[in-house]
């Protein structure tokens, strides 16, 4: 008398294509988000740095000191100013200290950029980095000498102090970073309070 027994599939040898098919190769890991954000940060900084350098060279070559070139009447104009101070002609007697601060900002932004996961933080820090590099190059290489160089400013709007592309990038980037902080957007891509609220709801 024979007994019906279930067939053990593990004991049946594989035949045909199933036996000869090569094992599927594991997919290559995607590029880390932090590396992509750092690339974005550096790209934005490079564009702004290049734009700042180009416009300063054109201002020095085309505008005479003291000359005012109107853009929109007397409200907006080009005028060449050598600024020994910070953005918008502040702290004019502390050029060497401002140079060291700018160098520290550049190093700090690059260190933070290596851990970024947020696109908006990468944009804001890229703007700050590009502007800081633009003015730092002036302080190192322009007259009257290293760490004492005067920054080239050439845009005058209304009553606002004369500024340049680097100043605009620093201020706009700083405003963006403050807004991100106020609204709870973290550099790692999360939003503060969201996780806690979700746990309470669950």
């Amino acid at each position: 008398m024979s007994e019906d027994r279930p067939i053990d599939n593990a004991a049946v040898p594989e035949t045909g294509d199933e036996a000869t098919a090569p094992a599927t190769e594991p997919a290559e890991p995607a590029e880390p988000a932090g590396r992509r954000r750092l690339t974005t940060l550096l790209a934005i900084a490079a564009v702004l740095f290049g734009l700042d350098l180009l416009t300063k060279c054109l201002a020095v070559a085309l505008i005479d000191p003291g000359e005012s070139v109107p853009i929109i009447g007397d409200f907006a104009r080009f005028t060449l100013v050598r600024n020994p101070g910070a953005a918008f002609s502040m702290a004019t007697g502390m050029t060497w200290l401002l140079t060291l601060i700018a160098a520290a900002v550049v190093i700090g932004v690059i260190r933070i950029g290596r851990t970024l996961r947020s696109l908006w933080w990468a944009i804001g820090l890229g703007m700050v980095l590009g502007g800081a590099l633009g003015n730092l190059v002036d302080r190192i290489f322009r007259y009257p000498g290293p760490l004492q160089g005067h920054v080239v400013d050439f845009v005058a709007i209304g009553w606002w102090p004369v500024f340049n592309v680097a100043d605009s990038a620093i201020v706009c980037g700083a405003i963006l970073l403050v807004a991100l902080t106020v609204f709870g957007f973290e550099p790692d891509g999360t939003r503060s309070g969201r996780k806690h609220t979700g746990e309470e709801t669950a």
Side-chain angles (χ1 to χ4, degrees):
M1 179 177 177
S2 63
E3 296 180 359
D4 293 335
R5 297 181 180 178
I7 299 175
D8 187 359
N9 292 331
V12 179
E14 296 181 352
T15 59
D17 295 339
E18 294 180 357
T20 59
T24 304
E25 295 182 0
E28 294 183 0
E31 184 181 5
R35 185 177 300 176
R36 294 197 300 270
R37 298 303 181 234
L38 179 59
T39 301
T40 301
L41 187 157
L42 295 177
I44 292 173
V47 170
L48 290 172
F49 171 71
L51 182 61
D52 179 68
L53 183 62
L54 175 62
T55 53
K56 286 175 178 175
C57 290
L58 291 174
V60 171
L62 301 177
I63 304 174
D64 294 328
E67 180 184 4
S68 181
V69 180
I71 305 173
I72 306 176
D74 292 332
F75 175 75
R77 61 195 185 280
F78 290 137
T79 181
L80 183 62
V81 174
R82 303 282 185 164
N83 176 20
F88 309 115
S89 301
M90 296 183 293
T92 56
M94 306 177 66
T95 306
W96 66 271
L97 179 59
L98 295 171
T99 304
L100 298 180
I101 292 174
V105 168
V106 170
I107 295 172
V109 168
I110 293 176
R111 288 175 63 90
I112 295 173
R114 296 171 62 184
T115 63
L116 281 181
R117 295 296 184 274
S118 168
L119 175 61
W120 287 109
W121 272 86
I123 293 173
L125 289 174
M127 295 172 71
V128 172
L129 178 60
L133 283 172
N135 285 340
L136 181 60
V137 167
D138 279 9
R139 299 189 190 284
I140 294 176
F141 294 105
R142 292 192 184 275
Y143 176 85
L147 301 184
Q148 299 290 333
H150 294 177
V151 174
V152 174
D153 292 334
F154 58 92
V155 181
I157 297 179
W159 52 268
W160 201 258
V162 184
F163 61 96
N164 56 38
V165 173
D167 295 337
S168 301
I170 292 172
V171 172
C172 293
I175 292 174
L176 175 57
L177 296 179
V178 170
L180 291 172
T181 302
V182 169
F183 289 103
F185 293 94
E186 302 293 341
D188 62 1
T190 62
R191 189 172 182 182
S192 60
R194 284 292 182 87
K195 182 177 180 181
H196 182 68
T197 303
E199 291 175 352
E200 289 182 348
T201 304

